[in-house]
Amino acid sequence: MSLKFFYLQLAFLFTIINFPLKAYCEKQSIPLKVCTTGGFVPFSSYANGKWIGFDIEMIKEFSKTSHFKYKVYNFNIDDIFQALNDYKCDLIAAGITITDERKKEFLFSLPYYSSGIVYMYKKENLEIDKVEKFEMLNSNKYKVGVKLGTTNDYFAVKYLGNTNITKFTDYSEVINAVIKGSVDYVIVDLSFASFVEKKNPNQLNYKLTPEDHELYGIVSRKNNQELINNFNKFLDKWKSSGKYEKILKKYFN
């Protein structure tokens, strides 16, 4: 291989990696690869042969205004960041909480949703219902359920170390565990708990924990600053247009 040809190849690779992703997708007709976590209602789920949810509609609107195609890929939350690093996706839209630790390795968009962490339990579980302080739940007499790899998982390990923690790989397993009584309560996001409680009004209840404020953002790799910039511009216009509020009411009212 000649030295000239080598430098030409190197320059081409540099262009692909650093070229604004939106423009590259348009030029090459390559769909933007979007990773999500199915089952995290009402943000992302798969039903009747298609993806639905707040995050899904948000990406759909983003693609329309930015003129690119996209394809959705499903990953468990504990695998999704590695998938991003491995270039199996270009961005993550899965109700991902923005944390300082995650920001060290990944790029986050501006927040598009505010939530919190709650504990959810069966209404008939009067012992849990009568707990006056969250700290009282940190006892080895309680069994707690969490979704593996989420901020709820990290929260439980940090604040509920005396309990018996069971980690599930699917959100449906988390809810089934508390409904069937195999755990005393579960740690979940406020947005998720609110949606599930409305679906099970006579069975479940939830209360806030000290972590009552979390912000969700779109995630990408450090070399995709242009993509995140484009999304932030879209988000600002989307909110100003009133369409954001319309979709918000659709999934959270």
Side-chain angles (χ1 to χ4, degrees):
M1 179 188 298
S2 69
L3 191 61
K4 182 179 179 180
F5 183 66
F6 171 77
Y7 282 121
L8 284 172
Q9 283 189 317
L10 193 63
F12 178 71
L13 283 173
F14 181 81
T15 301
I16 290 177
I17 292 172
N18 291 280
F19 195 85
L21 188 55
K22 178 179 77 67
Y24 180 72
C25 288
E26 289 177 346
K27 187 176 181 180
Q28 304 296 332
S29 299
I30 299 173
L32 191 75
K33 293 178 286 187
V34 179
C35 282
T36 194
T37 299
F40 186 44
V41 291
F43 293 92
S44 174
S45 59
Y46 194 77
N48 300 319
K50 63 180 181 178
W51 285 99
I52 59 173
F54 180 84
D55 281 14
I56 302 301
E57 293 209 31
M58 178 172 64
I59 293 298
K60 184 178 180 180
E61 287 296 317
F62 179 35
S63 73
K64 283 182 179 179
T65 59
S66 299
H67 309 292
F68 64 81
K69 297 177 181 179
Y70 69 94
K71 186 174 181 179
V72 178
Y73 296 86
N74 186 40
F75 287 90
N76 279 326
I77 192 67
D78 49 317
D79 297 324
I80 205 166
F81 289 100
Q82 188 58 51
L84 182 62
N85 273 335
D86 291 343
Y87 285 76
K88 293 179 180 177
C89 53
D90 301 304
L91 62 78
I92 301 173
I96 299 295
T97 302
I98 302 170
T99 68
D100 290 338
E101 193 65 27
R102 287 171 173 172
K103 285 166 69 175
K104 292 176 183 177
E105 189 174 355
F106 302 98
L107 278 178
F108 277 86
S109 69
L110 293 173
Y112 65 85
Y113 189 82
S114 176
S115 187
I117 294 178
V118 303
Y119 62 97
M120 176 168 263
Y121 57 94
K122 290 184 73 173
K123 281 188 174 182
E124 64 186 43
N125 192 335
L126 299 181
E127 182 178 350
I128 299 295
D129 188 62
K130 291 179 180 179
V131 168
E132 296 179 356
K133 295 182 179 180
F134 176 76
E135 292 78 11
M136 297 171 64
L137 293 173
N138 187 21
S139 169
N140 59 12
K141 68 178 179 178
Y142 294 130
K143 296 178 181 179
V144 185
V146 296
K147 173 74 165 66
L148 179 67
T150 61
T151 50
N152 307 316
D153 180 358
Y154 307 143
F155 175 87
V157 171
K158 182 177 180 179
Y159 294 105
L160 299 168
N162 294 327
T163 64
N164 300 293
I165 302 173
T166 301
K167 302 184 181 186
F168 299 95
T169 58
D170 190 86
Y171 282 107
S172 62
E173 294 176 342
V174 175
I175 298 305
N176 286 335
V178 73
I179 289 177
K180 292 179 179 179
S182 56
V183 297
D184 298 296
Y185 62 94
V186 295
I187 301 295
V188 294
D189 280 13
L190 171 59
S191 52
F192 179 74
S194 177
F195 185 88
V196 172
E197 190 271 338
K198 288 176 183 177
K199 296 291 183 180
N200 303 272
N202 300 317
Q203 283 187 294
L204 301 171
N205 195 16
Y206 64 87
K207 294 182 181 180
L208 290 173
T209 72
E211 294 287 335
D212 59 356
H213 185 64
E214 286 189 326
L215 298 173
Y216 294 171
I218 293 296
V219 195
S220 194
R221 292 179 295 276
K222 289 283 188 177
N223 62 354
N224 275 345
Q225 185 65 62
E226 187 69 23
L227 174 62
I228 294 299
N229 289 344
N230 287 338
F231 177 82
N232 287 339
K233 292 175 184 177
F234 152 76
L235 184 62
D236 183 59
K237 291 180 180 179
W238 194 40
K239 287 183 176 181
S240 299
S241 71
K243 293 180 180 180
Y244 170 88
E245 192 67 26
K246 183 179 180 181
I247 300 299
L248 199 67
K249 288 181 179 180
K250 175 180 177 180
Y251 286 100
F252 296 97
N253 269 10

